[in-house]
Amino acid sequence: MGEAIHFFHTNGYANGFLKIHEETNQTLTNNHEECSWYEEVIDDDLKWSFALKRVLHKGISDYQEIALLDTKRFGKVLVIDGKMQSAEVDEFIYHECLIHPALICHPEAKTVFIMGGGEGSAAREALKHKSLEKVVMCDIDQEVVDFCRRYLTVNQETFCHKKLNLVINDAKAELEKRDEKFDIIVGDLADPVEGGPCYQLYTKSFYEKILKPKLNENGIFVTQAGPAGIFTHKEVFTSIYNTIKQVFKYVVSYTAHVPSFADTWGWVMASDQPFSINAEDIDKRIEARINGELLYLNGASFLSSATMNKTVTLSLLNETHIYTEESARFIHGHGVAYRR
């Protein structure tokens, strides 16, 4: 678990860069006026920080720590266990990429099961599709769902939608006990963090024995797959891709840059039916099937996002690691809020 979100006050800096930054860029601190910042440790030698207006709310559940921050650059930011989950100004990039490719590639999806997704944004995007009759959103953490329903006003209508079936349970247990099958299953899960509540939902045995049997004949599975940048794609992205490849006949990886994540992000989509759709068909299906406008995704951008650079392509081809309960790769890091 990441460090708790908290404030600390300092008159001097152990980090020399911060001292130089204050001396040479005084306009950023309003001539020594106190300024609050959120800082996330990405690696031992790398941090990502941005200015805060205020901490809107903090909470602790049985599973994780939750905070909602109001930032100057990215608006409201949801942070769980010290790691940013989404930001108000650009979460549409992540959630459009997570939801719409699978729904567009499916002949006519009627049912969706979302693993995780407690903030409601994945369900919001899915419910834009006219063909859908039922969206099940299954999150393990009641506190996160209640927190987001109360404080993320952008999704308040989603939580009240008549087609949404909200379930508080472990997604693995929920899928196991249900007799029904789904056209689309979505993994809107936190990254596989050691000690976190969901890393087992990235394993081969889960995909093979529990998830895949709950898909209809033309069913599609899609999951977020962690950072996929030139320097970060080997953390979990290639392993998740390789694990899914052991279970499904057809697997597509794709990426997009998410500014608030300070990195390129990855998703993996899989099915036992081939994905044979071109950019023109994607645009036609978006026009015909979706209520409202998409802000990021169109046919050309999706096909482009599924083309990896040389380094990532070779890493995906050469990856041998498979997620199991005994052999997992984890993302580490935490965040902290401070005032200077």
Side-chain angles (χ1 to χ4, degrees):
M1 180 177 289
E3 292 183 18
I5 302 297
H6 63 278
F7 284 107
F8 60 86
H9 185 82
T10 177
N11 294 318
Y13 304 99
N15 185 323
F17 173 77
L18 292 179
K19 185 175 182 180
I20 294 170
H21 184 77
E22 183 187 47
E23 291 172 351
T24 59
N25 296 280
Q26 292 183 1
T27 56
L28 296 180
T29 58
N30 296 321
N31 293 323
H32 302 287
E33 180 181 330
E34 286 187 350
C35 183
S36 301
W37 290 78
Y38 173 77
E39 182 178 88
E40 184 168 319
V41 177
I42 298 173
D43 210 333
D44 292 339
D45 59 355
L46 185 62
K47 296 179 181 180
W48 171 230
S49 62
F50 40 91
L52 293 178
K53 292 181 181 177
R54 56 185 174 142
V55 176
L56 295 172
H57 192 76
K58 296 187 292 182
I60 300 176
S61 75
D62 292 337
Y63 300 98
Q64 48 212 349
E65 296 177 350
I66 317 157
L68 187 66
L69 313 178
D70 188 10
T71 73
K72 293 184 178 181
R73 175 61 63 94
F74 298 114
K76 292 179 182 177
V77 169
L78 177 66
V79 177
I80 294 179
D81 276 350
K83 292 184 68 64
M84 190 197 309
Q85 303 300 306
S86 68
E88 185 178 25
V89 301
D90 66 3
E91 55 88 3
F92 68 91
I93 301 173
Y94 170 93
H95 289 104
E96 286 189 14
C97 288
L98 174 69
I99 294 298
H100 297 297
L103 280 158
I104 291 299
C105 287
H106 193 280
E108 189 181 19
K110 296 185 182 298
T111 56
V112 172
F113 186 95
I114 300 171
M115 302 186 296
E119 70 180 277
S121 298
R124 180 198 70 216
E125 292 301 316
L127 289 165
K128 291 179 180 179
H129 286 255
K130 302 171 186 176
S131 68
L132 285 185
E133 298 174 356
K134 182 180 184 180
V135 175
V136 178
M137 186 180 87
C138 180
D139 198 286
I140 196 172
D141 199 331
Q142 180 78 60
E143 291 290 333
V144 167
V145 173
D146 291 344
F147 183 98
C148 293
R149 181 161 26 194
R150 181 176 181 182
Y151 293 104
L152 295 183
T153 54
V154 67
N155 291 332
Q156 284 182 347
E157 288 186 12
T158 298
F159 283 108
C160 299
H161 202 287
K162 62 182 181 180
K163 293 181 181 180
L164 180 67
N165 180 4
L166 174 59
V167 178
I168 304 300
N169 197 4
D170 174 75
K172 178 180 177 182
E174 186 66 26
L175 283 173
E176 279 184 308
K177 78 174 187 178
R178 283 181 176 254
D179 294 328
E180 64 188 306
K181 294 186 177 183
F182 297 89
D183 295 318
I184 309 288
I185 297 179
V186 178
D188 188 18
L189 303 163
D191 297 327
V193 177
E194 189 168 13
C198 65
Y199 84 87
Q200 292 188 13
L201 301 182
Y202 289 94
T203 61
K204 180 187 176 186
S205 62
F206 171 69
Y207 294 148
E208 191 171 48
K209 297 176 182 178
I210 298 173
L211 186 148
K212 188 176 180 180
K214 297 300 181 180
L215 282 171
N216 286 321
E217 184 177 353
N218 293 318
I220 298 174
F221 167 57
V222 62
T223 183
Q224 82 86 20
I230 192 73
F231 299 121
T232 56
H233 65 277
K234 289 186 178 181
E235 291 179 5
V236 296
F237 177 60
T238 56
S239 289
I240 293 171
Y241 171 83
N242 188 54
T243 303
I244 293 172
K245 210 168 66 165
Q246 311 305 309
V247 179
F248 290 90
K249 292 181 181 178
Y250 301 95
V251 181
V252 174
S253 60
Y254 56 100
T255 64
H257 179 68
V258 182
S260 62
F261 290 174
D263 205 347
T264 300
W265 214 253
W267 298 265
V268 178
M269 183 169 67
S271 179
D272 279 346
Q273 303 297 322
F275 300 106
S276 54
I277 188 169
N278 59 37
E280 184 179 356
D281 288 337
I282 292 173
D283 287 333
K284 287 179 179 178
R285 290 187 180 186
I286 290 174
E287 178 68 24
R289 296 183 179 187
I290 293 177
N291 288 315
E293 295 272 341
L294 298 187
L295 300 176
Y296 180 80
L297 201 71
N298 60 14
S301 69
F302 174 67
L303 294 186
S304 175
S305 72
T307 303
M308 305 291 118
N309 62 61
K310 180 179 178 180
T311 297
V312 175
T313 297
L314 290 174
S315 295
L316 290 169
L317 288 172
N318 296 326
E319 182 61 75
T320 59
H321 179 259
I322 297 171
Y323 270 98
T324 68
E325 285 76 2
E326 297 78 27
S327 174
R329 288 180 180 172
F330 299 111
I331 287 181
H332 301 275
H334 59 265
V336 62
Y338 67 91
R339 178 178 292 127
R340 72 178 189 192

